[in-house]
């Protein structure tokens, strides 16, 4: 074995040991990929699509045709959640709708929220006369543990250039003040990963609120994920614990290193 190959083997072993040692308790508590209608959430007024431009549903699964949402990309699988002009009279007629996910988080800590998000009304491709989001439009992700304080996790809001509150671009609202100031969303869904949810408890409610009442005030998201770490319980004494695993693996690496060196000698 060459010295280069030998070093690469060592590096791989160390990396593997680190991964086993430090990530062994990570778990996915929720992954909603919107690939079917076996829903992990409830919708405040149900899902709808009026066969025109107005929708609040899984696309294209529930009949949404191109080009309205076909313009989106960067989602996973074949489907994603889409919303556009959600106060449509053929739907519930209300400009604000909420998806609610209720999860059992007993035995987990260090909860993290992740998801893919996009917006179709920012006129980035020059396919419209203007961007379309008003000051009251937006998408807000919040969380609540055991009915306690509601935490703001991720907001997207219209910017308000010079106090203009009508038909502007949708940006991330990094300080949760209702005005977009951060990353510009596009029809290519962008990943927002590992946003911390503070606290411990037994039940987590995750809310995705969408507000919009006019054409092309559109939103898309996919792969809504909650991850956490299992709270440790004492392991059997004859199996290395997670905290001792790196030491255990280091001993293996040292032994292998000696074997390789002895062979080279
Ligand atoms: Ca999907
Ligand atoms: Ca508008
Ligand atoms: Ca802001
Ligand atoms: Ca409308």
């Amino acid at each position: 074995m060459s010295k280069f190959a030998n070093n690469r083997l060592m590096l791989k072993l160390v990396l593997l040991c680190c991964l086993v040692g430090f990530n062994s308790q990570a778990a996915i508590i929720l992954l909603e990929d919107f690939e079917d209608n076996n829903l992990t959430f409830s919708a405040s007024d149900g899902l709808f699509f009026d066969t025109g431009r107005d929708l609040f549903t899984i696309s294209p699964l529930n009949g949404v045709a191109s080009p309205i949402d076909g313009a989106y990309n960067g989602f996973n699988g074949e489907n994603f959640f889409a919303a556009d002009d959600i106060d449509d009279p053929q739907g519930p007629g209300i400009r604000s709708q909420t998806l609610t996910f209720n999860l059992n988080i007993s035995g987990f800590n260090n909860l993290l929220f992740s998801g893919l998000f996009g917006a179709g009304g920012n006129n980035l491709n020059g396919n419209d006369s203007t961007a379309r989001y008003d000051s009251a439009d937006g998408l807000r992700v919040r969380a609540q543990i055991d009915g306690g304080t509601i935490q703001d996790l991720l907001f997207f809001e219209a910017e308000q250039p010079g106090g203009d509150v009508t038909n502007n671009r949708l940006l991330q609202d990094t300080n949760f003040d209702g005005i977009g100031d951060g990353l510009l969303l596009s029809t290519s869904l962008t990943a927002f990963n590992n946003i911390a949810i503070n606290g411990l408890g037994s039940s987590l409610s995750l809310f995705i609120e969408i507000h919009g009442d006019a054409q092309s005030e559109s939103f898309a998201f996919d792969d809504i994920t909650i991850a956490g770490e299992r709270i440790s319980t004492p392991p059997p004494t004859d199996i290395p614990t997670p905290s001792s695993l790196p030491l255990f693996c280091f001993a293996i690496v040292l032994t292998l290193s000696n074997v390789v060196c002895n062979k080279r000698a």
Side-chain angles (χ1 to χ4, degrees):
M1 182 180 290
S2 71
K3 185 177 179 183
F4 178 68
N6 189 26
N7 287 341
R8 286 191 59 177
L9 172 64
M10 286 298 123
L11 184 61
K12 281 183 180 177
L13 282 168
V14 170
L15 286 174
L16 180 64
C17 288
C18 288
L19 285 172
V20 169
F22 296 114
N23 288 338
S24 58
Q25 294 185 327
I28 300 296
I29 302 168
L30 166 73
L31 172 57
E32 175 54 80
D33 59 9
F34 303 108
E35 292 304 308
D36 54 43
N37 277 309
N38 297 321
L39 307 181
T40 57
F41 58 87
S42 60
S44 48
D45 291 298
L47 305 182
F48 72 89
F49 171 49
D50 72 353
T51 72
R53 290 191 62 97
D54 310 320
L55 55 113
F56 186 78
T57 192
I58 299 172
S59 172
L61 180 71
N62 292 334
V64 184
S66 295
I68 306 169
D69 297 293
Y72 284 110
N73 60 71
F75 52 91
N76 281 321
E78 302 295 322
N79 300 283
F80 56 97
F81 197 94
D84 192 320
D85 194 359
I86 57 178
D87 73 337
D88 185 85
Q90 291 161 305
I94 301 170
R95 70 179 315 281
S96 300
Q97 297 290 326
T98 302
L99 301 187
T100 302
F101 303 74
N102 290 313
L103 308 172
N104 182 350
I105 55 167
S106 299
F108 291 98
N109 63 10
N110 294 331
L111 301 172
L112 299 171
F113 166 80
S114 299
L116 303 171
F117 293 86
N122 274 336
N123 192 29
L124 292 176
N125 301 320
N127 57 345
D128 208 341
S129 58
T130 180
R132 290 290 182 176
Y133 301 92
D134 312 325
S135 58
D137 301 332
L139 187 156
R140 295 152 202 164
V141 183
R142 294 183 164 111
Q144 183 181 38
I145 294 177
D146 292 344
T149 303
I150 295 178
Q151 303 176 39
D152 298 332
L153 302 183
L154 181 64
F155 282 19
F156 301 101
E157 304 279 355
E159 59 184 350
Q160 297 182 18
D164 176 8
V165 295
T166 304
N167 290 344
N168 293 305
R169 302 182 304 170
L170 190 79
L171 314 177
Q172 185 181 0
D173 174 12
T174 62
N175 59 354
F176 308 104
D177 69 350
I179 303 173
D181 57 80
L183 189 82
L184 176 68
L185 284 188
S186 73
T187 50
S188 296
L189 272 61
T190 299
F192 292 82
N193 289 334
N194 299 327
I195 298 167
I197 303 171
N198 298 318
L200 292 171
S202 57
S203 67
L204 172 73
S205 295
L206 178 74
F207 309 107
I208 300 179
E209 308 166 14
I210 300 177
H211 310 263
D213 63 356
Q215 181 175 312
S216 295
E217 293 166 355
S218 63
F219 305 85
F221 51 91
D222 198 11
D223 284 0
I224 299 303
T225 306
I226 299 289
E229 291 181 12
R230 292 186 195 282
I231 297 171
S232 298
T233 53
T237 54
D238 56 345
I239 296 176
T241 63
S243 61
S244 67
L245 265 176
L247 196 61
F248 175 73
C249 292
F250 180 71
I252 293 177
V253 171
L254 203 61
T255 304
L256 284 171
S257 175
N258 284 335
V259 168
V260 172
C261 290
N262 288 339
K263 278 190 174 179
R264 286 164 59 87

